[in-house]
Amino acid sequence: MLSLLKRYRQLLLVSALLLVPLVAFLASGRRGREPNFVDRAVIALTSPLQSGLNWIIDGGIGLVNGYVDLRGVRRENDALRLENMQLRAAVQSLGEARTENERLRQLLGYTEAVPGPEIPARVVGVNPVAKLLSVRISSGEKQGVFEGMSVVTPDGIVGRVIRTTGHYADVALVTDPQSRVGVRVQRSRARGTAVGSGSGPLILENMLRTEDVENGDLIITSGTDGVYPAGMVVGRVTNLEKKEHGMFQGADIVPAVDTTKLEEVLVVGSPYGVAAQSLEGGTR
């Protein structure tokens, strides 16, 4: 726009000089006189120039206003885009907080139904060694967690504490191959042992062939292993194999807790574990 004005500045100057006396003449109040030949010539010569000048000025003003409006719209779009991103992040945070609150509410409701001491904790680490399937939790001896205590969630058992420090503890999962849990069939009260397989379902062992077990039966802890209190959920029977010969029948147990997705847990002292700790505390 500036380059256009510079290029035709002489023409514009002459046009302005011609328009000034014309405007002064028309505004002088001599409206009753008929225009003569000179007046008509001046009007004829200056009208196209005036129209062109008005077009250029109006066009320039339109361009400037359009540019300003465009910049304003772009700035507003950027602000709206940023606000949208912030709102989406806030919604995601609220959703995660709501999910966590629901888990903690379930955990709190579970603690009210569990007898004996219970210590809440978060899972803060996972053991990368495949030979020992374990996790690390954020509560240790300072919070009252000791070796041998059981770790559970509202859905079922998780594992047992195998090592403690001041503020942390390591928990061997029920899926670990060295895990052995005394269990019973909730429906028929038949007893057996749930053994970790390292991956996938647990293995039901020591279940007599004559016992009443069916696919889909709920398996709970029997309380006979000195680790888990009786009545805690372990999982459900699947792939039942009733053998025609031998003493025992075989089956798998689908764990009630997915140990690969643990976030919050509860450390519970079994009746034997609590008693042992009380005796130990009394002898110190």
Side-chain angles (χ1 to χ4, degrees):
M1 183 66 185
L2 292 176
S3 61
L4 185 63
L5 292 176
K6 290 180 180 180
R7 182 179 302 176
Y8 297 102
R9 64 178 179 274
Q10 293 181 353
L11 180 59
L12 294 175
L13 182 58
V14 172
S15 301
L17 292 175
L18 291 174
L19 288 174
V20 169
L22 176 61
V23 173
F25 174 77
L26 295 176
S28 63
R30 298 168 59 187
R31 299 175 182 173
R33 183 178 64 85
E34 291 292 334
N36 55 26
F37 175 77
V38 177
D39 295 333
R40 291 190 179 93
V42 171
I43 293 174
L45 291 174
T46 58
S47 292
L49 183 60
Q50 183 181 7
S51 299
L53 186 60
N54 290 335
W55 181 83
I56 293 174
I57 294 174
D58 293 341
I61 294 174
L63 288 175
V64 172
N65 291 336
Y67 176 70
V68 172
D69 293 341
L70 181 60
R71 288 195 59 182
V73 171
R74 184 175 301 169
R75 190 180 299 110
E76 183 178 358
N77 287 340
D78 292 340
L80 290 175
R81 189 178 297 108
L82 178 60
E83 183 179 0
N84 184 39
M85 292 176 60
Q86 293 173 343
L87 289 175
R88 289 176 60 187
V91 169
Q92 291 177 358
S93 299
L94 288 174
E96 180 63 22
R98 188 180 299 110
T99 302
E100 182 178 1
N101 287 339
E102 182 62 27
R103 292 197 307 267
L104 293 176
R105 189 179 297 109
Q106 293 176 359
L107 197 63
L108 179 61
Y110 185 76
T111 62
E112 295 175 352
V114 175
E118 60 276 335
I119 301 103
R122 292 181 178 273
V123 175
V124 296
V126 178
N127 185 6
V129 180
K131 293 183 179 180
L132 178 61
L133 299 179
S134 65
V135 295
R136 177 159 294 180
I137 60 176
S138 62
S139 295
E141 293 179 354
K142 297 293 185 181
Q143 291 75 34
V145 176
F146 298 95
E147 182 180 348
M149 297 180 73
S150 57
V151 180
V152 301
T153 73
D155 295 326
I157 65 173
V158 172
R160 65 182 182 88
V161 177
I162 56 174
R163 188 181 302 106
T164 61
T165 59
H167 295 283
Y168 298 96
D170 292 333
V171 179
L173 302 175
V174 292
T175 53
D176 183 76
Q178 300 180 15
S179 173
R180 300 288 188 278
V181 181
V183 298
R184 69 169 69 243
V185 180
Q186 186 186 51
R187 179 181 56 83
S188 65
R189 317 308 291 177
R191 289 184 180 178
T193 304
V195 180
S197 62
S199 61
L202 308 178
I203 301 173
L204 180 61
E205 294 184 353
N206 302 328
M207 180 67 65
L208 293 175
R209 184 168 59 89
T210 56
E211 294 286 6
D212 181 10
V213 186
E214 296 179 359
N215 282 321
D217 275 341
L218 184 66
I219 301 297
I220 60 176
T221 55
S222 64
T224 59
D225 52 20
V227 177
Y228 300 97
M232 293 187 169
V233 177
V234 179
R236 290 191 178 275
V237 175
T238 184
N239 298 328
L240 179 64
E241 182 183 359
K242 288 186 175 290
K243 300 179 181 179
E244 296 181 0
H245 305 285
M247 294 181 58
F248 304 103
Q249 55 186 319
D252 293 336
I253 303 174
V254 178
V257 177
D258 186 351
T259 56
T260 64
K261 299 179 180 178
L262 291 173
E263 295 188 58
E264 295 89 16
V265 296
L266 193 68
V267 184
V268 181
S270 68
Y272 304 104
V274 173
Q277 293 166 25
S278 301
L279 292 174
E280 184 179 357
T283 56
R284 288 181 180 175

